[in-house]
Amino acid sequence: MSSHFDTIVNLAKNRGFVFQSSEIYGGLRSAYDYGPLGAALLRNVKDEWWRSMVQMRDNVVGIDSAVIQSPRVWEASGHVGSFSDPLVECTNCNSRHRLDKLENPQQCPTCGMSGTFTEPKDFNLMFKTHMGPVASEDNAVYLRPETAQGIFINFENVRRTARLKLPFGIAQIGKSFRNEITPGQFVFRTREFEQMEMEFFCRPEESAKWLEYWLEERKSWYMDLGMSADNLRLRAHDEDELSHYSSHTYDVDYNFPWGWDELEGIANRTDFDLAAHAHHSGKDLTYFDPETNERFFPHVIEPAAGATRTTFAFLLDAYGEDEVKGEKRAVLKLDKRLAPIKVAVLPLSKKPDLVDTTEAVAGPLRRRWDIEVDVTQSIGKRYRRQDEIGTPYCVTVDFDSLDDKQVTVRDRDTMAQDRIPIEGLETYLSERLDA
Ligand code: GAP
């Protein structure tokens, strides 16, 4: 793997973005904890998705459904029968692999032996557990492997209560769980992760048009938040890659350090899910169009993104290095909307007068944005630290500030410095952060 990948993983660990889960017990592979900066970044990614997919649209509403649902949901959706990956085991070293992800399907990547794999068998990816005190098959339940089914099973509840007319969308952000055969590449593929999914219901004959629409919308979302266009592409799935529910799927791929890989899937799920749930539950999940007097199952276009995977991609994309006065500077050029800390307030020294003024400056800012007050080390080192975590603005309170009631604002990207009256600081920052 490239050094860029290692740099970001180290930065994520050392600066408090992402920690290995259960680290003090030796770590639990494939689960991660988000530290103070990572939790803020992840939350900002999810907020931006929600703002663009729900808040800014008249015809999309949001829900928050349960992780544990009736096992009948997963029988109807096809996940019990078909949500599996091909598993092979090496008879030489006993390592297990996902066949479709192997570079050479004949050779074991762990021990290097060829021709030692068992016949592939379908391995179901759903986590199974038991509801209540008795661990029997009668009360087996699954942790959801996608948030989407919580939307389909609430289709009629939401349509009726929100008085929605086609075309309309139902969106949801939340945790999903998959017992991946080969988790890896840091938070790219984990067994517990977060998704941001929207099911867009439309008339069947309009599904091709809406698929095109959402492909463009979703690609633009990443670019609008600063992701480089060169690192993004849309890729159509081949026939043999399609999920059991999909007639057409495109991936929004990102150019990860190991090559192009999926950030988001955008699928035409047809009426597969609504029809399946209507059949299995016996409930009418058709839509009645009062204008044409028709009753039919809407078709569904689904943009399904990973919140944790996307957060990782934003980190990779934002990282850069340049030189300041002959010294290397590491900088995360995150979009201001995504930056975990928007403003750092830095007194030039720990002298009580300066610290008091710093608190007076920081107070009003804290009410509006995530800010950090840092009084340690030299000012140069503090700038470097803020650059490395992507803070767009540093406000320095110096000795002159006590007399002239002004502070210096430094821009992360240009490193230009402006002297601003404390009185006008909030407006100055607001014009730049909230524009
Ligand atoms: N409802 C459709 C669906 O779940 P998917 O392509 O399997 O489609 C959507 O998943 C997105 O969820 C992926 O593009 C990826 O970003 C994220 N995702 C899926 N499995 C993941 C995993 N094991 N770890 C992290 N993110 C994952």
PDB file of all heavy atoms in Angstrom, residues 413-429:
ATOM      1  N   ASP A 413      -5.362  27.915   3.995  1.00  0.00           N
ATOM      2  CA  ASP A 413      -4.932  27.558   2.637  1.00  0.00           C
ATOM      3  C   ASP A 413      -3.923  28.546   2.066  1.00  0.00           C
ATOM      4  O   ASP A 413      -2.945  28.157   1.431  1.00  0.00           O
ATOM      5  CB  ASP A 413      -6.150  27.451   1.709  1.00  0.00           C
ATOM      6  CG  ASP A 413      -7.089  26.347   2.185  1.00  0.00           C
ATOM      7  OD1 ASP A 413      -6.624  25.464   2.939  1.00  0.00           O
ATOM      8  OD2 ASP A 413      -8.280  26.370   1.834  1.00  0.00           O
ATOM      9  N   THR A 414      -4.177  29.847   2.276  1.00  0.00           N
ATOM     10  CA  THR A 414      -3.270  30.843   1.696  1.00  0.00           C
ATOM     11  C   THR A 414      -2.204  31.276   2.695  1.00  0.00           C
ATOM     12  O   THR A 414      -1.196  31.868   2.307  1.00  0.00           O
ATOM     13  CB  THR A 414      -4.055  32.111   1.288  1.00  0.00           C
ATOM     14  OG1 THR A 414      -4.644  32.652   2.493  1.00  0.00           O
ATOM     15  CG2 THR A 414      -5.162  31.798   0.298  1.00  0.00           C
ATOM     16  N   MET A 415      -2.454  31.007   3.956  1.00  0.00           N
ATOM     17  CA  MET A 415      -1.603  31.445   5.082  1.00  0.00           C
ATOM     18  C   MET A 415      -1.543  32.971   5.173  1.00  0.00           C
ATOM     19  O   MET A 415      -0.701  33.531   5.886  1.00  0.00           O
ATOM     20  CB  MET A 415      -0.213  30.824   4.991  1.00  0.00           C
ATOM     21  CG  MET A 415      -0.235  29.352   5.325  1.00  0.00           C
ATOM     22  SD  MET A 415       1.383  28.613   5.308  1.00  0.00           S
ATOM     23  CE  MET A 415       1.635  28.413   3.589  1.00  0.00           C
ATOM     24  N   ALA A 416      -2.430  33.662   4.443  1.00  0.00           N
ATOM     25  CA  ALA A 416      -2.507  35.130   4.538  1.00  0.00           C
ATOM     26  C   ALA A 416      -3.045  35.500   5.916  1.00  0.00           C
ATOM     27  O   ALA A 416      -3.836  34.745   6.502  1.00  0.00           O
ATOM     28  CB  ALA A 416      -3.428  35.667   3.451  1.00  0.00           C
ATOM     29  N   GLN A 417      -2.613  36.641   6.420  1.00  0.00           N
ATOM     30  CA  GLN A 417      -3.058  37.064   7.753  1.00  0.00           C
ATOM     31  C   GLN A 417      -3.756  38.415   7.658  1.00  0.00           C
ATOM     32  O   GLN A 417      -3.262  39.330   7.006  1.00  0.00           O
ATOM     33  CB  GLN A 417      -1.859  37.157   8.695  1.00  0.00           C
ATOM     34  CG  GLN A 417      -1.089  35.849   8.751  1.00  0.00           C
ATOM     35  CD  GLN A 417      -0.212  35.723   9.983  1.00  0.00           C
ATOM     36  OE1 GLN A 417      -0.063  36.657  10.747  1.00  0.00           O
ATOM     37  NE2 GLN A 417       0.364  34.544  10.179  1.00  0.00           N
ATOM     38  N   ASP A 418      -4.902  38.535   8.315  1.00  0.00           N
ATOM     39  CA  ASP A 418      -5.665  39.788   8.349  1.00  0.00           C
ATOM     40  C   ASP A 418      -5.753  40.262   9.786  1.00  0.00           C
ATOM     41  O   ASP A 418      -5.989  39.443  10.683  1.00  0.00           O
ATOM     42  CB  ASP A 418      -7.112  39.538   7.867  1.00  0.00           C
ATOM     43  CG  ASP A 418      -7.233  39.557   6.362  1.00  0.00           C
ATOM     44  OD1 ASP A 418      -6.275  39.995   5.700  1.00  0.00           O
ATOM     45  OD2 ASP A 418      -8.293  39.111   5.855  1.00  0.00           O
ATOM     46  N   ARG A 419      -5.594  41.556   9.967  1.00  0.00           N
ATOM     47  CA  ARG A 419      -5.787  42.125  11.310  1.00  0.00           C
ATOM     48  C   ARG A 419      -7.231  42.616  11.390  1.00  0.00           C
ATOM     49  O   ARG A 419      -7.676  43.423  10.572  1.00  0.00           O
ATOM     50  CB  ARG A 419      -4.801  43.282  11.483  1.00  0.00           C
ATOM     51  CG  ARG A 419      -4.639  43.773  12.884  1.00  0.00           C
ATOM     52  CD  ARG A 419      -3.709  42.905  13.707  1.00  0.00           C
ATOM     53  NE  ARG A 419      -3.688  43.387  15.093  1.00  0.00           N
ATOM     54  CZ  ARG A 419      -3.364  42.663  16.128  1.00  0.00           C
ATOM     55  NH1 ARG A 419      -3.025  41.398  15.998  1.00  0.00           N
ATOM     56  NH2 ARG A 419      -3.354  43.192  17.336  1.00  0.00           N
ATOM     57  N   ILE A 420      -7.988  42.079  12.362  1.00  0.00           N
ATOM     58  CA  ILE A 420      -9.439  42.313  12.404  1.00  0.00           C
ATOM     59  C   ILE A 420      -9.845  42.832  13.792  1.00  0.00           C
ATOM     60  O   ILE A 420      -9.400  42.276  14.809  1.00  0.00           O
ATOM     61  CB  ILE A 420     -10.194  40.973  12.186  1.00  0.00           C
ATOM     62  CG1 ILE A 420      -9.793  40.337  10.857  1.00  0.00           C
ATOM     63  CG2 ILE A 420     -11.710  41.121  12.269  1.00  0.00           C
ATOM     64  CD1 ILE A 420     -10.258  41.110   9.648  1.00  0.00           C
ATOM     65  N   PRO A 421     -10.692  43.868  13.880  1.00  0.00           N
ATOM     66  CA  PRO A 421     -11.190  44.302  15.190  1.00  0.00           C
ATOM     67  C   PRO A 421     -11.976  43.158  15.845  1.00  0.00           C
ATOM     68  O   PRO A 421     -12.757  42.476  15.157  1.00  0.00           O
ATOM     69  CB  PRO A 421     -12.132  45.461  14.866  1.00  0.00           C
ATOM     70  CG  PRO A 421     -11.848  45.836  13.460  1.00  0.00           C
ATOM     71  CD  PRO A 421     -11.231  44.657  12.779  1.00  0.00           C
ATOM     72  N   ILE A 422     -11.774  42.953  17.137  1.00  0.00           N
ATOM     73  CA  ILE A 422     -12.469  41.859  17.833  1.00  0.00           C
ATOM     74  C   ILE A 422     -13.982  41.998  17.641  1.00  0.00           C
ATOM     75  O   ILE A 422     -14.688  41.005  17.438  1.00  0.00           O
ATOM     76  CB  ILE A 422     -12.092  41.852  19.337  1.00  0.00           C
ATOM     77  CG1 ILE A 422     -10.609  41.491  19.477  1.00  0.00           C
ATOM     78  CG2 ILE A 422     -12.961  40.881  20.139  1.00  0.00           C
ATOM     79  CD1 ILE A 422     -10.037  41.615  20.874  1.00  0.00           C
ATOM     80  N   GLU A 423     -14.428  43.235  17.653  1.00  0.00           N
ATOM     81  CA  GLU A 423     -15.855  43.527  17.477  1.00  0.00           C
ATOM     82  C   GLU A 423     -16.434  42.932  16.186  1.00  0.00           C
ATOM     83  O   GLU A 423     -17.572  42.469  16.165  1.00  0.00           O
ATOM     84  CB  GLU A 423     -16.005  45.044  17.357  1.00  0.00           C
ATOM     85  CG  GLU A 423     -16.929  45.645  18.355  1.00  0.00           C
ATOM     86  CD  GLU A 423     -17.013  47.151  18.068  1.00  0.00           C
ATOM     87  OE1 GLU A 423     -16.960  47.563  16.865  1.00  0.00           O
ATOM     88  OE2 GLU A 423     -17.122  47.875  19.038  1.00  0.00           O
ATOM     89  N   GLY A 424     -15.599  42.969  15.126  1.00  0.00           N
ATOM     90  CA  GLY A 424     -16.103  42.512  13.822  1.00  0.00           C
ATOM     91  C   GLY A 424     -15.709  41.069  13.488  1.00  0.00           C
ATOM     92  O   GLY A 424     -15.971  40.580  12.379  1.00  0.00           O
ATOM     93  N   LEU A 425     -15.092  40.372  14.465  1.00  0.00           N
ATOM     94  CA  LEU A 425     -14.539  39.040  14.180  1.00  0.00           C
ATOM     95  C   LEU A 425     -15.618  38.017  13.792  1.00  0.00           C
ATOM     96  O   LEU A 425     -15.453  37.252  12.830  1.00  0.00           O
ATOM     97  CB  LEU A 425     -13.757  38.547  15.410  1.00  0.00           C
ATOM     98  CG  LEU A 425     -13.105  37.178  15.270  1.00  0.00           C
ATOM     99  CD1 LEU A 425     -12.039  37.171  14.178  1.00  0.00           C
ATOM    100  CD2 LEU A 425     -12.476  36.736  16.603  1.00  0.00           C
ATOM    101  N   GLU A 426     -16.714  38.031  14.539  1.00  0.00           N
ATOM    102  CA  GLU A 426     -17.765  37.042  14.279  1.00  0.00           C
ATOM    103  C   GLU A 426     -18.319  37.209  12.859  1.00  0.00           C
ATOM    104  O   GLU A 426     -18.519  36.225  12.138  1.00  0.00           O
ATOM    105  CB  GLU A 426     -18.872  37.220  15.324  1.00  0.00           C
ATOM    106  CG  GLU A 426     -19.693  35.984  15.513  1.00  0.00           C
ATOM    107  CD  GLU A 426     -20.724  36.157  16.633  1.00  0.00           C
ATOM    108  OE1 GLU A 426     -20.423  36.828  17.642  1.00  0.00           O
ATOM    109  OE2 GLU A 426     -21.831  35.634  16.468  1.00  0.00           O
ATOM    110  N   THR A 427     -18.539  38.467  12.467  1.00  0.00           N
ATOM    111  CA  THR A 427     -19.057  38.726  11.113  1.00  0.00           C
ATOM    112  C   THR A 427     -18.030  38.303  10.065  1.00  0.00           C
ATOM    113  O   THR A 427     -18.379  37.658   9.063  1.00  0.00           O
ATOM    114  CB  THR A 427     -19.361  40.240  10.947  1.00  0.00           C
ATOM    115  OG1 THR A 427     -20.156  40.633  12.055  1.00  0.00           O
ATOM    116  CG2 THR A 427     -20.065  40.543   9.653  1.00  0.00           C
ATOM    117  N   TYR A 428     -16.765  38.652  10.306  1.00  0.00           N
ATOM    118  CA  TYR A 428     -15.686  38.289   9.371  1.00  0.00           C
ATOM    119  C   TYR A 428     -15.666  36.764   9.145  1.00  0.00           C
ATOM    120  O   TYR A 428     -15.619  36.287   8.011  1.00  0.00           O
ATOM    121  CB  TYR A 428     -14.346  38.763   9.963  1.00  0.00           C
ATOM    122  CG  TYR A 428     -13.124  38.367   9.171  1.00  0.00           C
ATOM    123  CD1 TYR A 428     -12.556  39.221   8.232  1.00  0.00           C
ATOM    124  CD2 TYR A 428     -12.514  37.118   9.391  1.00  0.00           C
ATOM    125  CE1 TYR A 428     -11.407  38.850   7.521  1.00  0.00           C
ATOM    126  CE2 TYR A 428     -11.380  36.752   8.681  1.00  0.00           C
ATOM    127  CZ  TYR A 428     -10.835  37.608   7.748  1.00  0.00           C
ATOM    128  OH  TYR A 428      -9.712  37.240   7.043  1.00  0.00           O
ATOM    129  N   LEU A 429     -15.740  36.018  10.256  1.00  0.00           N
ATOM    130  CA  LEU A 429     -15.674  34.552  10.138  1.00  0.00           C
ATOM    131  C   LEU A 429     -16.948  33.995   9.514  1.00  0.00           C
ATOM    132  O   LEU A 429     -16.907  33.064   8.701  1.00  0.00           O
ATOM    133  CB  LEU A 429     -15.439  33.926  11.516  1.00  0.00           C
ATOM    134  CG  LEU A 429     -14.038  34.172  12.100  1.00  0.00           C
ATOM    135  CD1 LEU A 429     -13.981  33.741  13.560  1.00  0.00           C
ATOM    136  CD2 LEU A 429     -12.972  33.430  11.279  1.00  0.00           C
TER     137      LEU A 429
END
